[in-house]
Every structure is written in structure tokens, then in C-alpha cells.
Amino acid sequence: MNAEPVPPIDSAALAVPAAIDRVQRNALFVGLAGAVVCVLGLFLSRPYFFRAWLVGWVFWVGVAAGSLAIFLLHHLTRGAWGLVARRVLEASARTLPLMLVLFIPLIFGVHELYPWSRPGAMADEILQRKAGYLNLPFFFVRLVVYFLIWGGLAFLLSRMSWRQDRADDPGLTRRMQLIAGPALAAYCLAVTFAAVDWLMSLEPHWFSTIYGVWLMGSQGLSALAFLILFALWLSRREPMDRVLRPGHFHDWGKLLLAFTMLWAYFSFSQFLIIWSGNLPEEIVWYLHRTRHGWGAVGLFIVIFHFALPFVLLLSRDLKRQARRLAGVAALMLFMRLVDLFWNVEPGFEHQSPAFYWLYLAAPVAIGGLWVAAFVRELKRKPLLPVGDPYLPEALAHE
């Protein structure tokens, strides 16, 4: 079906609500205050600082990189669900350069986080065989490459989307769709390697071939949850209060349900295959996370990261009520943090679970800085892609 050309739309009428300035100021204040608290935590408990910063950093990278994946998926498939959310997702993805900068504190703790980076690691035969990949120069090179891929794609597609607003090139829609396929493949490949580098290599004797796909699904879940929460905020203010309809939230709710099931499928598949294989080099990872009280944390994740959200998201009425759906999205974001905590901390502390306050302070500090950067990016362009030929259909979606 050929879409009709979009009549000119006043982009000034689609500016971000003025109330966003207060959100930006508050977020920046929280981020800076949280950073000061984290510096204090560095002196009080250096090991916990680096582990907590890693958890918070991976979490917010997941929101930004997951947003890139979601809007690439939208360009591939089209649909009103993604068109009205495109500018939010684009702004979120363009914060990726900031996340690369926020990795800097972890550089000073790399020896405390990653056993393979420590002096004397080559005395371990297994680490010696993995040294061609697990070495610091190559680790940092790969880190930069990941962000060059993700950030480059985010800015390339954003620039094309902005050009579309001027309606000077009717073929942009098709070109963005053609780029989105290879771009999504590049995103997936980078995430797969990033999962090995940032999380799996915390316990370098262990390996799982599905771990990268697990992180991929986790990032999509985080991005969708953030989108729903921010869309609720926008839906209560002009101009998006006249744009966002129950049908849009319904579509996002269905996607949130799909990604919840996807995360559960990847998580359970990994557990089932490793446990049934019962190989010492594989099951040790789960032994650390099921003994000495960590099993209770795992059960908490099963219930509140999958079972409860799954049951709630089966309801059509809930998915069409923005406030109730946002409650589920907020739960999912919190559980993403709990899940990352469960993935990281047992590798260091094999005794009973102990929650240190830095695991709350670090995500809040990084999140405050991230939200401030996100708002800055969001204010650069209208809230809707006014030149997209499918915009009238998206605005009438119900």
C-alpha cells in the first residue's frame, strides 16, 4: 500500500513540554549528588564500588542500546507503535557516547573485577589459553568498537529521520528500512561480544553460548519499560496528550509481554542445558547462585521478573490503561537491576547474600546523568517525525 504524502505539520506545536526542563534539572542534581555519594563509597568499600558501578552502568547501557534495537526493529516492520515512539527511542540511543565516558571509573577497578586481568593470571592454564582474547588492550579496543557501532547507527538513523522532517527526500523511508536490517545484525553481534566481555568474563572459567542472546533480550526489555514510563509522562501533557492513545500503549504492552517471555526463555534454556549437562566448568556458575541464600534471590527473580508480569500482561484491559501498564514497566526496570545484581555479586561473594548501599547509589547516580542527557537530546527535535508518510495512520491508530 502506497502512503499518501503528509501535509505540512507545525513542528513548533510538537515541541517537548516545558515541564521537561525541571525533569532535566532534577535528574542532573540527583546524578551529581549520587556521584558524590559513590565517591564516598569508593573510599569506604572499594570492591563494592566497582561492582555496583558495573551493575548500574550495564543497566543504563541496556536502556540506551535497547532503544537502538527497538527503533531499528520499527524501521524494519513499520507500525504506529514505533512511529509515535521514534523520537524518544532515538534520543535514548544518542546517549550512548555518555555511557562510554561513564565507563572510565571501571578502568581503575578492572583488576578487581576481572581475574584474567590480574598479574599472575597466566599461571592459570585455562586463562593462559584464553589470553588471546582476554587481555586488557584488546578488551578496551572492543569496548570502543561496540560504542562506535551502536553510536554510529544511532546518529546515522537519527540524522536521516531529521532530514525526513523537511520532506525533501521521499525515498528516505525506504532507505532507513534497508539500513535497519544490517544495522540490527551489527547490533546483535556487538551485544553478544559485550556480554562476554562485561559479565561472563567476571568468572572466566565459565562459559555459556546463549549468554549474549540473554543480554540482548534484557536490553530490549529495559528499553520498552523505560519507553512506557516516559510515554505515560508525555501522555499527561501537551502536545502528546492528543496523540498517545490506548492503542499505542496496548501495542507496547504486547511487546513488553513478548520480551518478558523471550527473557524467560533464554534464562531457562541456559539453566536447563547447563544443569542437565552437569559439567563442572559450567554448573559452578549456578552453584554460586543457588547456594547460601542466593537461591532465594533467584526465586524472587523468577516470580517478579517473569511469573507476575506475565500474568498481569495477559490482560488486555491492563495493557490499554497507561497508568497500570507503567506500574508493570516500573517493576520490570527494578527487576532488571535485581537480575544484574544476581548475575554479578555471587561471583565475588560466595557466602550469604549481602546488599551494600552502593548497589542503589551507583544506578541512581548513573541514571540521573543519563536522564539529563536523554532530555537534552529529546529537546533537539519535534516529538513526532513530521515528515514520515505514515504519520497520519499512526495518529489515527486505535
Side-chain angles (χ1 to χ4, degrees), residues 158-387:
S158 291
R159 189 170 292 111
M160 295 178 74
S161 179
W162 296 343
R163 283 177 54 196
Q164 192 181 49
D165 285 355
R166 300 193 296 268
D168 58 357
D169 190 345
L172 275 171
T173 301
R174 179 58 178 164
R175 284 205 293 275
M176 287 190 287
Q177 188 177 40
L178 291 174
I179 291 172
L184 194 58
Y187 158 83
C188 294
L189 189 62
V191 171
T192 301
F193 282 93
V196 174
D197 292 354
W198 303 341
L199 296 176
M200 191 189 300
S201 71
L202 293 170
E203 297 180 71
H205 287 191
W206 176 74
F207 63 91
S208 167
T209 55
I210 203 174
Y211 200 68
V213 185
W214 166 84
L215 184 62
M216 201 182 306
S218 302
Q219 289 188 345
L221 189 58
S222 299
L224 279 170
F226 171 76
L227 169 63
I228 291 168
L229 283 169
F230 190 71
L232 172 66
W233 187 89
L234 287 176
S235 68
R236 295 177 173 179
R237 293 163 178 85
E238 293 185 349
M240 298 301 284
D241 59 343
R242 302 188 301 271
V243 173
L244 297 176
R245 300 170 181 264
H248 297 125
F249 284 95
H250 188 200
D251 288 345
W252 296 331
K254 288 187 287 186
L255 278 172
L256 188 67
L257 173 61
F259 272 89
T260 300
M261 295 171 64
L262 196 67
W263 171 88
Y265 173 76
F266 293 148
S267 300
F268 182 70
S269 295
Q270 177 178 270
F271 173 80
L272 181 64
I273 293 171
I274 289 177
W275 199 260
S276 61
N278 199 30
L279 298 176
E281 64 270 21
E282 294 180 353
I283 64 170
V284 63
W285 193 85
Y286 280 105
L287 292 178
H288 293 163
R289 287 158 181 80
T290 55
R291 293 177 172 178
H292 309 298
W294 285 109
V297 180
L299 181 61
F300 182 81
I301 293 171
V302 170
I303 295 172
F304 293 99
H305 199 311
F306 171 66
L308 180 61
F310 174 77
V311 171
L312 293 175
L313 290 171
L314 289 176
S315 169
R316 180 179 185 273
D317 291 338
L318 182 144
K319 292 194 289 285
R320 294 179 66 85
Q321 296 181 32
R323 187 173 180 178
R324 294 172 64 188
L325 180 62
V328 179
L331 173 64
M332 295 306 298
L333 282 178
F334 172 72
M335 292 308 302
R336 287 300 317 128
L337 273 174
V338 175
D339 188 32
L340 286 170
F341 169 72
W342 186 76
N343 272 262
V344 170
E345 185 64 18
F348 298 90
E349 302 292 344
H350 300 157
Q351 65 270 13
S352 300
F355 179 81
Y356 200 72
W357 56 268
L358 274 168
Y359 273 107
L360 179 61
V364 169
I366 297 172
L369 299 174
W370 184 89
V371 170
F374 162 76
V375 172
R376 181 195 63 194
E377 292 296 331
L378 188 66
K379 292 193 293 185
R380 295 177 65 183
K381 291 295 176 180
L383 284 170
L384 291 174
V386 295

Side-chain angles (χ1 to χ4, degrees), residues 39-182:
V39 171
L40 175 63
L42 173 62
F43 291 101
L44 293 176
S45 180
R46 180 183 173 92
Y48 270 112
F49 167 80
F50 291 117
R51 274 132 58 181
W53 194 268
L54 177 66
V55 167
W57 183 78
V58 172
F59 171 81
W60 287 105
V61 168
V63 176
S67 296
L68 170 66
I70 297 299
F71 84 69
L72 288 174
L73 183 64
H74 158 67
H75 281 305
L76 275 175
T77 61
R78 309 300 304 171
W81 66 269
L83 195 53
V84 296
R86 188 201 293 178
R87 287 294 154 83
V88 174
L89 295 171
E90 288 173 349
S92 175
R94 290 197 304 273
T95 61
L96 283 163
L98 171 67
M99 299 313 298
L100 180 58
V101 173
L102 291 177
F103 181 83
I104 291 175
L106 294 175
I107 295 176
F108 302 98
V110 67
H111 294 313
E112 299 186 41
L113 289 171
Y114 300 104
W116 52 264
S117 70
R118 298 168 188 164
M122 291 305 101
D124 187 315
E125 183 181 356
I126 294 177
L127 297 185
Q128 188 176 16
R129 293 180 179 181
K130 296 182 178 183
Y133 184 85
L134 293 179
N135 61 81
L136 284 180
F138 195 24
F139 176 86
F140 291 127
V141 168
R142 292 194 304 271
L143 173 74
V144 174
V145 169
Y146 303 149
F147 281 89
L148 285 176
I149 292 172
W150 298 333
L153 292 173
F155 281 91
L156 172 65
L157 271 297
S158 291
R159 189 170 292 111
M160 295 178 74
S161 179
W162 296 343
R163 283 177 54 196
Q164 192 181 49
D165 285 355
R166 300 193 296 268
D168 58 357
D169 190 345
L172 275 171
T173 301
R174 179 58 178 164
R175 284 205 293 275
M176 287 190 287
Q177 188 177 40
L178 291 174
I179 291 172

